[in-house]
Amino acid sequence: MFKNVLSRLVTETVRSRRYAPNGPVIQRLIPASGPVRTFTDRKGEAQPQFDASLLDVLVCPLSKKPLRYDAETNELINEELGIAYPILDGIPNMIPQEARLIQKDSAETPTH
Amino acid sequence: MAASMRLLVRRAIRLSHKNITLTAAGAAARSDCCRGPLVCRCFSDEAEDRSTHFGFETVPETEKAKRVYKVFENVAQKYDIMNDAMSLGIHRMWKDTLLHVMHPQPGAQLLDMAGGTGDISFRFLDYIRSQEERQKRRVARSSQTPSWRDISNNYSTQDEPRESRAVVCDINKEMLKVGKQKADSLGVSAGLSWVVGDAEELPFDDDQFDIYTIAFGIRNVTHIDQALQEALRVLKPGGRFMCLEFSKVNNPILSRIYDAYSFQMIPVIGEVIAGDWKSYQYLVESIRKFPNQEEFKGMIEDAGFYCVKYYNLTGGVVALHSGFKL
């Protein structure tokens, strides 16, 4: 199903590039972005939701303080230490080495 | 012998924090079990360079966790099939025995550590569900001719028991993914949660769980005493620690058959079914390196658990250790 959308998007852009001027490209891309938006929507539904009841028991493994769930980035945030634990497929990853530092943009916290 | 030396070393480290004692005891312990090039490293070692066993190999502690992760990442997809093939289905009996000894009541909170594909948690939820049905049937039978008191009691909805919950925690994402798929296909989702976490550093607050189980996982942990201390921390007072693990077979004949089967058959089955000889070689070797029933009981007591006892299953092939936090 996604392949149909992708192939349509590709053929739309290819076709629009053949016609060269920028106007029609943008005009044709906008209807093409319609199916793309439903593509991401469908992907969002397919991804399981994080179970908020887990928040009662989950704490940061390093400081043992409660965490805040951030729905946009889908992460559990410990503001005190400034780290964020990712959630993949609805499963929170509470390994300290896999957490992300919030202030800087480094990918991993240093191992302790 | 090497394991007991290591225990003595750990105890010495815990009792005295002086660097001199550490390196002396460490060098003494390591000179026993290291051979060849590693001996020269021993005397200039710091705590971070301590080595441990990975099966019959000796590896630095920092490496063991990574290698164990890779082993389970490789075997995750075929894990359940391999369990059935290797143990000829007996692993189901072991896990059922764990549940029977546990005898959880409705409202219990379970932490299934190293739960991986979720076998213990599924059984836990089934057991509780059947307990609840049994209770309901008993109540229904006794209230066939209700008195006015029974009728008034039925109107009160205050005594809603806490929902029982099972949290499956594992350090390996792949195993949890397989477990979650299994749960989805079985349609089990109520009261079941999945978390990626390290047994030595649990992401849970103190005094949270009624029961902590770790089935066939603790031998893969690098620092078993730390895992035991974390288990003590997250259990409620009165909570129970239960551990299923492969252990020493005492009967000499059974031991010979078991060894032959382990070293000759299991890696072959691993190669045939899962296409992975080395992982299953690691598995059988790690079983041999794990302390025996009495030693492990001592470790659990050292961590601070009371009333520790063990049950030998299948002649000692598997031991079920249980302790309480009081």
Side-chain angles (χ1 to χ4, degrees):
Chain A
M1 221 185 280
F2 302 144
K3 279 194 191 141
N4 274 340
V5 168
L6 274 175
S7 59
R8 229 191 309 162
L9 180 61
V10 167
T11 49
E12 291 279 356
T13 48
V14 165
R15 223 181 286 140
S16 54
R17 229 174 259 145
R18 264 199 224 127
Y19 286 105
N22 283 329
V25 171
I26 299 167
Q27 279 169 21
R28 262 196 212 92
L29 275 178
I30 290 169
S33 70
V36 176
R37 210 176 294 124
T38 55
F39 167 70
T40 48
D41 273 350
R42 213 174 293 136
K43 196 173 172 198
E45 282 165 22
Q47 262 190 14
Q49 286 304 306
F50 169 67
D51 185 12
S53 69
L54 253 186
L55 277 173
D56 305 338
V57 269
L58 272 184
V59 296
C60 172
L62 295 168
S63 67
K64 311 296 183 203
K65 295 279 166 60
L67 298 159
R68 178 173 63 88
Y69 174 54
D70 187 348
E72 293 142 12
T73 54
N74 209 24
E75 285 176 337
L76 292 164
I77 302 187
N78 179 345
E79 271 118 6
E80 225 179 323
L81 295 174
I83 48 179
Y85 296 95
I87 301 177
L88 306 151
D89 290 336
I91 305 177
N93 188 333
M94 310 302 296
I95 310 280
Q97 286 91 333
E98 314 248 333
R100 184 180 66 90
L101 274 176
I102 297 185
Q103 297 104 338
K104 309 159 196 167
D105 265 330
S106 52
E108 283 180 6
T109 55
T111 58
H112 55 288
Chain B
M1 199 188 81
S4 53
M5 281 299 288
R6 210 168 286 122
L7 271 173
L8 284 169
V9 168
R10 286 228 181 88
R11 271 195 208 139
I13 293 166
R14 241 181 283 132
L15 290 172
S16 59
H17 294 283
K18 295 173 194 165
N19 275 336
I20 305 163
T21 334
L22 174 76
T23 45
R30 255 173 274 124
S31 57
D32 262 1
C33 47
C34 295
R35 284 179 183 80
L38 283 169
V39 174
C40 313
R41 267 185 55 211
C42 290
F43 297 95
S44 56
D45 255 341
E46 295 168 354
E48 282 87 0
D49 291 337
R50 265 209 300 263
S51 59
T52 181
H53 53 80
F54 178 78
F56 289 157
E57 266 184 78
T58 309
V59 296
E61 278 185 347
T62 42
E63 229 200 271
K64 171 159 180 172
K66 273 185 241 159
R67 290 185 70 169
V68 169
Y69 191 94
K70 246 186 252 158
V71 163
F72 283 93
E73 202 178 19
N74 291 340
V75 306
Q77 292 297 326
K78 297 273 170 67
Y79 186 72
D80 291 323
I81 303 176
M82 276 303 298
N83 276 348
D84 275 330
M86 287 189 292
S87 67
L88 309 168
I90 305 178
H91 74 105
R92 293 159 193 262
M93 269 174 45
W94 295 330
K95 291 170 183 165
D96 290 339
T97 310
L98 172 66
L99 259 298
H100 279 287
V101 173
M102 191 197 293
H103 195 48
Q105 295 302 307
Q109 312 281 304
L110 170 76
L111 174 58
D112 183 6
M113 192 62 221
T117 48
D119 277 345
I120 305 290
S121 299
F122 295 140
R123 284 175 168 77
F124 172 81
L125 292 170
D126 281 341
Y127 196 97
I128 295 225
R129 219 157 282 146
S130 65
Q131 289 275 81
E132 284 173 342
E133 279 170 18
R134 212 178 299 157
Q135 270 185 7
K136 273 194 214 135
R137 247 179 280 140
R138 219 180 294 143
V139 167
R141 225 178 294 137
S142 69
S143 69
Q144 288 296 334
T145 50
S147 68
W148 62 267
R149 198 170 290 161
D150 291 331
I151 297 173
S152 72
N153 280 343
N154 282 339
Y155 284 129
S156 72
T157 48
Q158 288 233 324
D159 54 350
E160 281 293 322
R162 259 178 87 190
E163 279 302 308
S164 34
R165 191 228 297 260
V167 179
V168 185
C169 187
D170 199 298
I171 201 171
N172 196 306
K173 287 180 228 107
E174 301 301 315
M175 295 286 284
L176 286 178
K177 266 194 223 160
V178 172
K180 199 147 195 262
Q181 282 168 13
K182 223 175 28 166
D184 292 336
S185 65
L186 287 174
V188 182
S189 61
L192 189 56
S193 312
W194 309 83
V195 179
V196 176
D198 188 349
E200 301 176 14
E201 220 166 10
L202 287 174
F204 303 109
D205 214 350
D206 302 356
D207 306 334
Q208 287 287 325
F209 295 99
D210 294 300
I211 307 160
Y212 174 107
T213 60
I214 182 164
F216 305 115
I218 203 159
R219 72 179 186 283
N220 299 310
V221 174
T222 315
H223 301 106
I224 296 180
D225 46 357
Q226 276 185 33
L228 292 173
Q229 281 171 23
E230 280 290 278
L232 187 73
R233 183 181 67 80
V234 301
L235 276 174
K236 289 185 198 160
R240 191 171 196 181
F241 167 86
M242 309 193 72
C243 172
L244 259 184
E245 192 51 81
F246 292 105
S247 205
K248 293 287 183 287
V249 179
N250 287 320
N251 182 316
I253 306 171
L254 189 60
S255 165
R256 271 222 230 127
I257 302 174
Y258 179 50
D259 282 347
Y261 181 75
S262 296
F263 287 97
Q264 322 249 331
M265 289 292 301
I266 288 187
V268 174
I269 302 175
E271 183 59 47
V272 166
I273 298 186
D276 193 344
W277 176 288
K278 276 201 190 147
S279 297
Y280 289 94
Q281 185 72 24
Y282 161 71
L283 180 124
V284 293
E285 290 179 359
S286 65
I287 294 174
R288 297 298 174 296
K289 295 301 275 189
F290 189 70
N292 66 19
Q293 286 89 330
E294 280 298 327
E295 267 187 66
F296 189 47
K297 175 179 170 206
M299 287 170 80
I300 300 177
E301 283 171 341
D302 282 343
F305 288 98
Y306 290 93
C307 308
V308 181
K309 52 166 129 152
Y310 60 86
Y311 306 86
N312 276 330
L313 307 176
T314 322
V317 172
V318 168
L320 166 55
H321 281 80
S322 150
F324 287 90
K325 171 176 178 173
L326 297 176

